[in-house]
Amino acid sequence: MSAATQLLKQHLQQRQLQGVTHIPLRAEALEKLSGLGRKPAIREMPEAPKPIAVESALEARRILDNPPPETKKAGLIEVAGASIEEKLAALRAMAETWEPALALNSLRKTMVFAVGDPHARLMFVGEAPGAEEEKLREPFVGPAGQKLTAIIKAMGLDRPQVYISNICKFRPAMDNQGSANRKPTAEEMKACLPFVLTEIDLIKPQVIVALGATAAEGLGIPGSVGGLRGRFHSTSGIPTMVTYHPSYLLREEKMGDGIHAKRQVWEDMLKVMEKLGLPISEKQRGYFKAK
Ligand code: URA
């Protein structure tokens, strides 16, 4: 093996450890590398940009350390780490001082990231933290969070088995705020969007549930919950169910018993359970059916 090929191989292994899975190389470079036992690391990009001549060891180092922008997945943040846990920790650290969000001056400064299993098959996405979430620095711990936890339990799961995140990582600010909360604006969600997209890319859940129309809009699924719920949409290719936000269920409960809204959310969750292949008992099928 030539010195250049050896160096190239080392760099590919290094990039793979950093989580990079695709590097565009022209056919000659692939040929040189064949037989090195690392083929998955050097799969050709499906839409390979201009061929890159790997002519010398120095050139190889330059190209591998500075991949052309086309090789970075659109809208994602590149994070270093040997495991999903390490990458999520690096991502969380970056979110703490995320300038595009903080520069808006419309969000508070305490970052609330996410909670749950980095290997979860099911991910819930809300809109933004509220007062309780900001205090405890954990999403969905206030009244809406307790409702969400009850939904998760009704599905036969425990909260630590799923992953819970928000599109916007900071509590939206208001004048004379006290304990009042507001929905994040499209601009505030856009500033934080790379985080939730990168979380999705790292966790690779089998199903996402978008809680409410704001979260759905943040994920690129615009519309009313009434019009979107009951069927799967797609977020980066992952089946995504849109359902009512737990706060809506709480409001409906206050105005009556809220059984109709609860049944609608539950029907959405039954579809999610079916998609995940979770067992569903007759009792579960019957929850919130009007008598
Ligand atoms: N509502 C949300 O959308 N997210 C939270 O974390 C709490 C309430």
Side-chain angles (χ1 to χ4, degrees):
M1 196 188 303
S2 73
T5 312
Q6 175 67 37
L7 200 62
L8 191 53
K9 181 190 165 197
Q10 273 174 14
H11 274 283
L12 283 173
Q13 286 170 340
Q14 224 174 29
R15 299 293 292 174
Q16 193 180 34
L17 281 176
Q18 290 166 349
V20 174
T21 57
H22 294 73
I23 290 177
L25 292 175
R26 65 188 262 180
E28 295 94 286
L30 274 171
E31 245 168 54
K32 273 190 196 171
L33 288 161
S34 64
L36 297 180
R38 280 274 174 203
K39 282 190 179 149
I42 53 169
R43 266 180 300 152
E44 244 180 331
M45 293 274 291
E47 289 170 39
K50 281 185 225 113
I52 297 164
V54 183
E55 283 157 7
S56 67
L58 274 179
E59 180 68 350
R61 180 185 290 274
R62 190 187 64 72
I63 290 167
L64 291 168
D65 283 348
N66 302 288
E70 296 94 321
T71 65
K72 293 178 186 159
K73 286 201 210 164
L76 300 188
I77 298 170
E78 280 196 85
V79 274
S83 63
I84 297 177
E85 285 80 355
E86 278 184 28
K87 287 180 188 177
L88 283 174
L91 196 63
R92 179 188 290 257
M94 284 175 80
E96 292 284 356
T97 53
W98 187 243
E99 203 40 38
L102 296 174
L104 295 175
N105 272 322
S106 59
L107 293 166
R108 291 164 64 94
K109 308 287 177 228
T110 305
M111 197 279 297
V112 180
F113 196 67
V115 67
D117 182 358
H119 303 277
R121 298 166 65 212
L122 176 57
M123 174 168 176
F124 289 90
V125 179
E127 47 196 36
E132 310 272 346
E133 287 75 22
E134 186 183 51
K135 216 182 292 160
L136 298 177
R137 301 201 67 177
E138 180 174 327
F140 283 100
V141 288
Q146 282 158 29
K147 189 53 93 185
L148 177 61
T149 305
I151 294 169
I152 293 166
K153 267 204 166 318
M155 296 171 83
L157 298 168
D158 281 324
R159 199 172 145 106
Q161 287 179 282
V162 303
Y163 188 86
I164 305 172
S165 193
N166 280 312
I167 306 262
C168 183
K169 304 298 189 199
F170 301 85
R171 182 178 168 210
M174 295 165 76
D175 289 339
N176 308 316
Q177 184 140 26
S179 60
N181 299 314
R182 70 164 170 85
K183 288 177 187 297
T185 63
E187 189 185 40
E188 288 163 350
M189 288 197 288
K190 193 170 164 217
C192 292
L193 189 63
F195 286 95
V196 81
L197 291 182
T198 306
E199 288 171 271
I200 291 169
D201 186 62
L202 292 174
I203 292 159
K204 297 190 176 27
Q206 285 168 22
V207 176
I208 295 170
V209 175
L211 297 165
T214 308
E217 182 200 322
L219 291 177
I221 310 168
S224 67
V225 176
L228 295 169
R229 60 165 292 274
R231 62 187 199 281
F232 286 99
H233 303 266
S234 169
T235 309
S236 315
I238 296 171
T240 303
M241 178 63 77
V242 179
T243 198
Y244 290 109
H245 193 284
S247 304
Y248 174 76
L249 295 183
L250 293 175
R251 281 197 300 275
E252 289 291 298
E253 264 174 27
K254 265 198 190 147
M255 285 163 47
D257 63 1
I259 187 120
H260 181 61
K262 277 186 212 160
R263 180 65 202 173
Q264 286 181 310
V265 170
W266 186 242
E267 279 166 5
D268 297 338
M269 294 309 103
L270 286 173
K271 289 192 176 141
V272 167
M273 289 167 76
E274 276 163 10
K275 185 69 107 190
L276 291 170
L278 293 175
I280 305 178
S281 67
E282 274 317 299
K283 190 174 163 196
Q284 280 172 313
R285 286 210 184 272
Y287 286 165
F288 312 115
K289 269 202 174 142
K291 302 268 164 5

